Amino acid sequence: MSELYLLDYGAGNVRSLVNAITRLGYQVQPVNHPDDILKAKKLIFPGVGAFGSAMTSLVSKNYVDPLKKYIASGRPFMGICIGLQTLFTSSDESPDVHGLNIINGRVKLFDNTTKSVPHMGWNKTLKRKQGSAFSLSDDRVYYFVHSYAVPYTEDLAKWTLATTQYGDEVFVSIVQKDNIFCTQFHPEKSGYAGLRILRSFLEWNGVSDQPTILCDPVKVSSDYLTKRIIACLDVRTNDQGDLVVTKGDQYDVRERDNGGQVRNLGKPVELARRYFEEGADEITFLNITSFRNCPLADLPMLEVLRRTSETVFVPLTIGGGIRDVVDPDEKLHSALDVAGLYFRSGADKVSIGSDAVYAVERYLENGHELSGDTAIETIAKAYGNQAVVISVDPRRVYVSSPNETVHHIIKTIYPGPQGEEYCWYQCTVKGGREGRDIDVHQLVTVCEKMGAGEILLNCMDKDGTNSGYDIELVDDVKKAVNIPVIASSGAGRVEHFGEVFEKTKADAALAAGIFHRKEVPVADVKNYLREKGILVRSPDNIL
């Protein structure tokens, strides 16, 4: 029986961490009872979501005392993300909730006036100590996803193995002292660089060699947060009933010849693995088949996620069907239940489309009051806003004058069919088949209030055209929100990626068909961006 234990308090995706440990040749078992904590020879405490929820769960399960005793025993302990934060005294996120108080300090909210929050993406760690047993490299980046962090101060020097800068804020990204080793980033989602760090802990005996403390970190003019390149896989059943990756031409996924068959561009698990090896920073699955008569627990996308997470160690997002559903036996599952099942199957984020539009419509109809019961709000409360992505499917509506509509308009450099100089972006539902009387500006700003942590910004006018992203749309949305924005729809050449990052403040760019058909490899995109001076993650396939 394994002496390595995983303390899962019930929040988020721990499957990927278990898969990473298995990939490294180790076995791990879950903590099912407080006594299991003290049986462990090594203990890993991962976590996502809110500080308060994590501590409340530890208290309710009677884990707090044995966890403190375990840490005091000198046996190796690793905390990840919230697992690091709970070691501190308190957090701005849950001011009335006490942490474990192993380290005296407070977790604080990032300033979102000058940067997107959450801090989401790949960033560097800068070592503060020499001689550590852990496999750290200042030229590698790791995957962070959090809105709160521990600001670095001199008082924390003895605890701090590495710091990271986001905007003008420097925070503790790795804690290491005595038998304690914790990361604010997710090693299981940081590719092979993250796996090497995880292996260092698994091989560690818990003895600290008291490495020399370096000088305090110095702020630099800009951080090392990279732009993300995301591979998107639209998944549906074809006419033979097989689950395939397809791609639409302005949302139409059927061939114009070949009998109108669904375009088959490959198998989802195999393609995801290929993109991981090629250097994609994230993988997004968009489920475009309803599976209406399938029980929730039997959804094919759950198996896709489980299998993908066995070999793909970057963030996985799943979209489609994140709503209240009823099984054939009439059992009701809330959107929160659905999301939880996807997280436990290997997803890190869920993407909400049409239901976000409906939720915002109700918000506007009800006097601009949050209900607290939408899918966005319930999932964000349970798992953190970084777990909720809003997928927006807009199309241009041209007008001759701003006075012709009550909607948020832009003056466009691309005139309409009658020479119109203005347009607004209408939100659609049902895969773009139905327009609604709500604009993109309304949707994204309200969804941010509800707790969404990221915007996936598609564009029906650009989808499948290979003519480049809608720069005007991306720029307008990015200026409207303080959360990360992913540009999507229209990429056809490497230059289009450079254009969207140079002309807007987009945090990431997503593409599908050009990657599937190998017209533009992921590596070519990154090489081009690197030549343009745009920070991107370098390939790393060495374990």
Side-chain angles (χ1 to χ4, degrees):
M1 182 174 291
S2 172
E3 296 178 333
L4 171 65
Y5 278 77
L6 183 76
L7 199 165
D8 175 16
Y9 62 92
N13 168 24
V14 298
R15 177 181 291 271
S16 292
L17 179 58
V18 172
N19 287 337
I21 293 169
T22 302
R23 172 71 174 79
L24 293 169
Y26 290 80
Q27 293 182 327
V28 63
Q29 56 184 323
V31 170
N32 295 315
H33 187 276
D35 291 344
D36 292 339
I37 295 175
L38 295 176
K39 293 177 184 176
K41 298 296 183 183
K42 282 190 173 76
L43 181 67
I44 301 178
F45 176 20
V48 298
F51 180 95
S53 297
M55 286 305 308
T56 299
S57 180
L58 292 178
V59 171
S60 67
K61 295 176 182 293
N62 295 316
Y63 286 169
V64 172
D65 286 342
L67 181 55
K68 287 184 174 182
K69 289 179 182 176
Y70 175 88
I71 293 173
S73 73
R75 284 169 284 177
F77 170 82
M78 182 175 186
I80 298 173
C81 196
I82 292 296
L84 176 151
Q85 294 184 10
T86 55
L87 294 186
F88 287 82
T89 308
S90 58
S91 172
D92 286 351
E93 188 172 16
S94 309
D96 298 326
V97 177
H98 296 291
L100 295 172
N101 201 28
I102 304 294
I103 308 172
N104 183 31
R106 187 174 181 87
V107 185
K108 296 187 177 181
L109 177 65
F110 282 121
D111 176 10
N112 70 354
T113 59
T114 58
K115 56 185 177 292
S116 299
V117 176
H119 171 218
M120 184 181 296
W122 301 74
N123 206 339
K124 280 189 176 183
T125 60
L126 299 177
K127 287 186 290 187
R128 307 312 319 151
K129 299 176 182 178
Q130 295 285 15
S132 169
F134 295 92
S135 179
L136 290 178
S137 175
D138 285 346
D139 64 349
R140 291 297 174 192
V141 290
Y142 305 96
Y143 183 74
F144 292 84
V145 54
H146 57 122
S147 299
Y148 297 80
V150 180
Y152 178 81
T153 64
E154 290 184 8
D155 293 341
L156 294 174
K158 64 183 180 180
W159 286 99
T160 304
L161 178 57
T163 59
T164 295
Q165 183 168 330
Y166 182 41
D168 63 352
E169 297 183 78
V170 177
F171 64 91
V172 177
S173 52
I174 304 181
V175 163
Q176 200 272 304
K177 182 176 181 290
D178 300 328
N179 60 312
I180 298 173
F181 176 72
C182 301
T183 63
Q184 180 59 67
F185 58 84
H186 287 266
E188 78 281 12
K189 290 295 172 180
S190 296
Y192 289 111
L195 292 185
R196 289 195 296 272
I197 286 183
L198 185 58
R199 182 172 60 191
S200 295
F201 172 77
L202 296 174
E203 294 175 349
W204 186 43
N205 62 7
V207 177
S208 173
D209 49 8
Q210 299 299 324
T212 303
I213 297 177
L214 303 181
C215 60
D216 286 342
V218 176
K219 290 183 182 178
V220 293
S221 58
S222 62
D223 59 36
Y224 295 95
L225 183 68
T226 66
K227 296 296 186 180
R228 288 175 282 148
I229 303 301
I230 301 174
C232 180
L233 290 75
D234 293 337
V235 182
R236 65 158 291 164
T237 52
N238 62 12
D239 297 323
Q240 290 73 44
D242 299 319
L243 208 60
V244 300
V245 175
T246 187
K247 184 67 188 78
D249 181 358
Q250 295 187 306
Y251 289 43
D252 181 3
V253 300
R254 292 190 175 274
E255 301 281 9
R256 293 178 182 175
D257 50 17
N258 193 30
Q261 294 285 312
V262 171
R263 292 185 185 91
N264 182 351
L265 299 176
K267 297 180 179 180
V269 177
E270 292 176 3
L271 274 179
R273 170 69 178 180
R274 189 188 103 196
Y275 294 138
F276 168 61
E277 295 292 351
E278 290 179 358
D281 299 311
E282 295 186 25
I283 307 294
T284 292
F285 293 105
L286 296 182
N287 169 27
I288 56 176
T289 301
S290 63
F291 301 112
R292 293 187 183 279
N293 297 318
C294 181
L296 176 62
D298 296 333
L299 284 177
M301 288 307 300
L302 295 173
E303 183 62 19
V304 168
L305 283 168
R306 294 182 189 115
R307 289 178 55 202
T308 300
S309 67
E310 291 175 358
T311 58
V312 174
F313 300 105
V314 294
L316 304 177
T317 299
I318 177 71
I322 312 299
R323 59 178 180 270
D324 295 350
V325 298
V326 179
D327 276 349
D329 63 1
E330 299 187 352
K331 181 179 180 180
L332 174 66
H333 302 275
S334 70
L336 178 61
D337 295 333
V338 175
L341 189 54
Y342 277 127
F343 292 139
R344 290 189 292 277
S345 298
D348 302 283
K349 297 183 276 187
V350 293
S351 176
I352 301 174
S354 296
D355 272 32
V357 178
Y358 301 141
V360 172
E361 287 177 337
R362 291 193 296 272
Y363 169 88
L364 297 175
E365 291 168 359
N366 295 334
H368 296 228
E369 290 188 4
L370 297 176
S371 66
D373 61 0
T374 65
I376 300 169
E377 293 167 278
T378 56
I379 298 170
K381 182 178 179 180
Y383 295 100
N385 62 348
Q386 80 288 336
V388 181
V389 181
I390 303 301
S391 181
V392 190
D393 294 320
R395 61 189 177 200
R396 284 192 173 211
V397 177
Y398 284 97
V399 293
S400 299
S401 165
N403 297 326
E404 291 185 17
T405 180
V406 297
H407 291 291
H408 174 82
I409 60 100
I410 65 169
K411 187 170 183 178
T412 177
I413 63 173
Y414 305 103
Q418 306 301 320
E420 300 95 335
E421 295 183 347
Y422 299 91
C423 71
W424 64 281
Y425 288 90
Q426 180 186 37
C427 293
T428 68
V429 296
K430 300 177 181 178
R433 297 188 299 273
E434 179 183 314
R436 309 292 287 190
D437 189 25
I438 180 173
D439 62 62
V440 168
H441 195 275
Q442 290 173 303
L443 182 74
V444 298
T445 54
V446 175
C447 286
E448 182 178 16
K449 290 180 183 178
M450 289 180 171
E454 191 170 38
I455 302 296
L456 170 54
L457 187 58
N458 307 296
C459 180
M460 290 188 64
D461 308 284
K462 287 286 191 175
D463 185 65
T465 65
N466 289 356
S467 61
Y469 297 98
D470 190 327
I471 300 299
E472 293 178 328
L473 172 63
V474 176
D475 185 55
D476 191 56
V477 168
K478 185 59 186 175
K479 290 176 179 176
V481 296
N482 293 315
I483 56 179
V485 173
I486 303 168
S488 176
S489 305
R493 306 193 311 269
V494 292
E495 291 84 0
H496 293 150
F497 294 86
E499 180 185 37
V500 77
F501 290 135
E502 290 180 332
K503 293 185 177 180
T504 79
K505 293 185 177 180
D507 300 273
L510 176 148
I514 60 170
F515 291 158
H516 305 333
R517 295 185 292 266
K518 298 186 178 180
E519 296 168 354
V520 179
V522 173
D524 286 2
V525 172
K526 290 198 167 184
N527 288 337
Y528 175 80
L529 294 175
R530 201 174 290 112
E531 291 172 1
K532 299 282 286 185
I534 296 171
L535 290 175
V536 290
R537 181 173 68 103
S538 298
D540 180 6
N541 294 327
I542 300 174
L543 183 57

